[in-house]
Amino acid sequence: MRDFLKKKFGKYSFIRSSYHIILALKGNFGFNILKFPFRLADFIKDYRNYISQIQNDNYIFEISMRELYPCLLDKTKITPIDSTYFYQDTWASGKIFQNNPHAHVDVGSSVHTIGIISKFVPTTMVDIRPLSVTLENLTFMKGSITDLPFEDNSIESLSSLCVIEHIGLGRYGDEIDPFGSEKAISELKRCISWEGVFVNFSAY
């Protein structure tokens, strides 16, 4: 339905621009709607300034309203960041690199972090949701943290960052299970080798 509407109304500049503005609002959790008119006015001011410079300097390209994609929350005084995940992921990456394993396995962590780790050590990522990208040194396996596709004591290096405490709540498509976290911990313990290293961070 979404693709149909985009195709049907995409040729109308006003509708297309309005659609992008709605997406900008929807995609930013916690956005204060009272600030929206001021942010939009600031965007329009920048747009007009941009157009005037193109006209004054005789640029050879044209700007169409069809191409507008208002990003209303990016003009901030400081770089926005979730400090919890920033420190968590950099800490975990450092631990893995320090251990220098032959291969690494991750279960359910941030795909952005695991993608970077895979550039330095061959990595297998396990998740119940398929990964739609491919990357050298990164292998994806579909599986559940409560039933991992590995033999006992078989993993040299293992990570699962901010995952265990979410298991059993159904948030990511997993089964509802009040004991999901306990089952996840048991399964991770089963798979890690006696000499292996488990890098974990949970918000317990």
Side-chain angles (χ1 to χ4, degrees), residues 6-192:
K6 287 175 67 177
K7 184 177 180 180
K8 188 72 174 177
F9 298 109
K11 61 181 180 180
Y12 300 105
S13 299
F14 174 77
I15 294 177
R16 182 186 176 96
S17 300
S18 300
Y19 173 73
H20 285 157
I21 291 172
I22 293 172
L23 284 184
L25 284 171
K26 181 181 177 182
N28 293 277
F29 180 78
F31 178 69
N32 189 340
I33 195 65
L34 296 178
K35 294 181 179 180
F36 172 69
F38 301 98
R39 298 290 179 91
L40 182 60
D42 194 41
F43 169 80
I44 294 173
K45 177 183 176 182
D46 288 343
Y47 174 75
R48 288 176 174 173
N49 183 19
Y50 191 86
I51 293 297
S52 67
Q53 291 191 37
I54 292 176
Q55 294 172 345
N56 293 338
D57 294 337
N58 297 317
Y59 282 89
I60 61 174
F61 60 89
E62 296 181 357
I63 299 296
S64 169
M65 285 191 65
R66 287 172 54 85
E67 307 305 323
L68 286 183
Y69 194 92
C71 297
L72 306 180
L73 300 180
D74 293 340
K75 190 180 290 187
T76 58
K77 295 181 179 179
I78 60 174
T79 300
I81 188 172
D82 188 320
S83 57
T84 299
Y85 291 106
F86 175 79
Y87 288 114
Q88 166 199 273
D89 292 355
T90 53
W91 168 81
S93 300
K95 289 293 183 182
I96 294 168
F97 298 152
Q98 182 181 0
N99 294 330
N100 194 28
H102 295 95
H104 180 72
V105 173
D106 177 83
V107 183
S109 301
S110 165
V111 67
H112 301 93
T113 302
I114 302 309
I116 294 172
I117 291 173
S118 72
K119 300 302 292 184
F120 299 91
V121 55
T123 302
T124 297
M125 182 176 183
V126 181
D127 201 298
I128 59 173
R129 299 170 298 180
L131 186 63
S132 60
V133 296
T134 57
L135 190 66
E136 185 180 4
N137 272 353
L138 179 61
T139 302
F140 176 80
M141 295 179 65
K142 186 175 181 179
S144 170
I145 194 173
T146 59
D147 186 21
L148 292 171
F150 302 105
E151 297 181 359
D152 296 356
N153 307 319
S154 62
I155 299 177
E156 171 191 7
S157 179
L158 178 64
S159 65
S160 189
L161 308 172
C162 268
V163 176
I164 296 174
E165 66 270 30
H166 297 282
I167 305 305
L169 302 178
R171 178 178 176 182
Y172 300 105
D174 54 318
E175 298 291 332
I176 299 295
D177 186 347
F179 294 97
S181 295
E182 288 79 2
K183 293 177 181 178
I185 293 172
S186 296
E187 190 68 353
L188 292 166
K189 288 172 61 179
R190 178 188 69 79
C191 295
I192 190 74

